[in-house]
Amino acid sequence: MELPVFTVDSFSSGPFSGNPAAVCLLHSELQDDLYQKIAAEMNLSETAFIRKLNPTDDFHSENSNQTLTFETLSGALRARLDGDYIVMDLPINEPIAQDPKEVKELIKAAVGELTVQDVLYCGSLKKIIVRLSDTYERHVLESLKVDPQSLMRCETTGKVKSLVVTLKGNPAGQPAYDFYSRNFAPWYGVPEDPVTGSSHTVLGSYWAEKLGKLKMLAFQCSPRGGELKVSLREDGRVDVAGRAVIVLQGNLRL
């Protein structure tokens, strides 16, 4: 059996940046153990398996602007093409204020002695959000050296599964990013996620209130880096958009 497989760099307009993921097109379901074996073979943080629910549908639809709905283990995911951006329709996840004293060791493990302006928690995603002081610039966030083992030693309750450090952007910059972030998730086996769409459902909610804006341009400052457009909607959802490029295409032989 041969299965079409792609490596896609998402939230990027060129190769070797953004979030790399494998995408495998299926004609029918596989045995459960094969999914894990294929994902291990791809050796990327994400491997997506796509199968048509209606066998008569074509993967390569002539109407490239239609909204596609993916039935995932986490629920329905809707995505559409808008120019050269892929737009994901996601629920907004609003964070709540977190007492810094309750997670002071975790904060120190992440940002050391840097001044922290806000600490928040999103229970639905088990994320801690740490906002650095506005006195810092982007290079301070990029220069952080976060030890994943130290994070895991500071948090063993299961309440936190990822930690996001964020910083207000530079409106005078080119591009004029509204905010920056980095995402560390060693509890999931990911020391640092290159670009994280789900985190921006939380960050979008937070920064929209702080900046008084519903449409924002964000940059995740991982070593690979990734750009995202975040747009809050009146129906309680958020559009997270990014470009994507295919960097590898072939067939997987089973």
Side-chain angles (χ1 to χ4, degrees), residues 169-204:
N170 178 10
Q174 292 296 328
Y177 292 116
D178 291 291
F179 63 89
Y180 307 111
S181 66
R182 291 178 68 182
N183 184 61
F184 306 94
W187 301 272
Y188 285 124
V190 182
E192 180 171 4
D193 197 18
V195 192
T196 318
S198 62
S199 288
H200 286 78
T201 67
V202 187
L203 292 168

Side-chain angles (χ1 to χ4, degrees), residues 78-250:
R78 292 188 294 273
R80 68 182 188 275
L81 191 64
D82 184 3
D84 58 350
Y85 281 82
I86 297 173
V87 184
M88 294 184 294
D89 175 353
L90 300 169
I92 293 174
N93 289 288
E94 296 183 0
I96 60 174
Q98 169 74 50
D99 184 352
K101 294 179 181 178
E102 295 181 1
V103 288
K104 62 180 181 179
E105 295 302 324
L106 183 61
I107 294 172
K108 185 175 182 179
V111 303
E113 301 300 326
L114 294 179
T115 302
V116 171
Q117 187 158 328
D118 275 333
V119 180
L120 306 109
Y121 178 68
C122 177
S124 59
L125 297 179
K126 296 186 177 181
K127 288 183 183 291
I128 285 284
I129 310 295
V130 178
R131 176 186 174 182
L132 296 179
S133 167
D134 292 347
T135 60
Y136 297 125
E137 297 182 359
R138 172 177 167 177
H139 69 87
V140 173
L141 177 60
E142 292 177 330
S143 65
L144 283 178
K145 305 295 184 183
V146 180
D147 177 22
Q149 296 301 320
S150 294
L151 293 182
M152 294 178 69
R153 283 194 297 269
C154 293
E155 167 51 47
T156 60
T157 67
K159 178 182 176 181
V160 176
K161 291 297 184 180
S162 71
L163 182 145
V164 177
V165 184
T166 188
L167 179 68
K168 185 178 179 180
N170 178 10
Q174 292 296 328
Y177 292 116
D178 291 291
F179 63 89
Y180 307 111
S181 66
R182 291 178 68 182
N183 184 61
F184 306 94
W187 301 272
Y188 285 124
V190 182
E192 180 171 4
D193 197 18
V195 192
T196 318
S198 62
S199 288
H200 286 78
T201 67
V202 187
L203 292 168
S205 173
Y206 172 77
W207 282 111
E209 179 184 355
K210 296 300 180 182
L211 301 175
K213 302 177 69 173
L214 297 180
K215 294 185 178 182
M216 294 161 286
L217 185 63
F219 191 82
Q220 191 158 330
C221 299
S222 68
R224 289 179 63 94
E227 183 180 278
L228 310 92
K229 289 183 176 181
V230 182
S231 302
L232 273 69
R233 302 182 348 212
E234 294 182 355
D235 61 357
R237 298 184 69 83
V238 58
D239 288 337
V240 178
R243 296 184 179 95
V245 293
I246 297 173
V247 296
L248 184 66
Q249 178 176 348

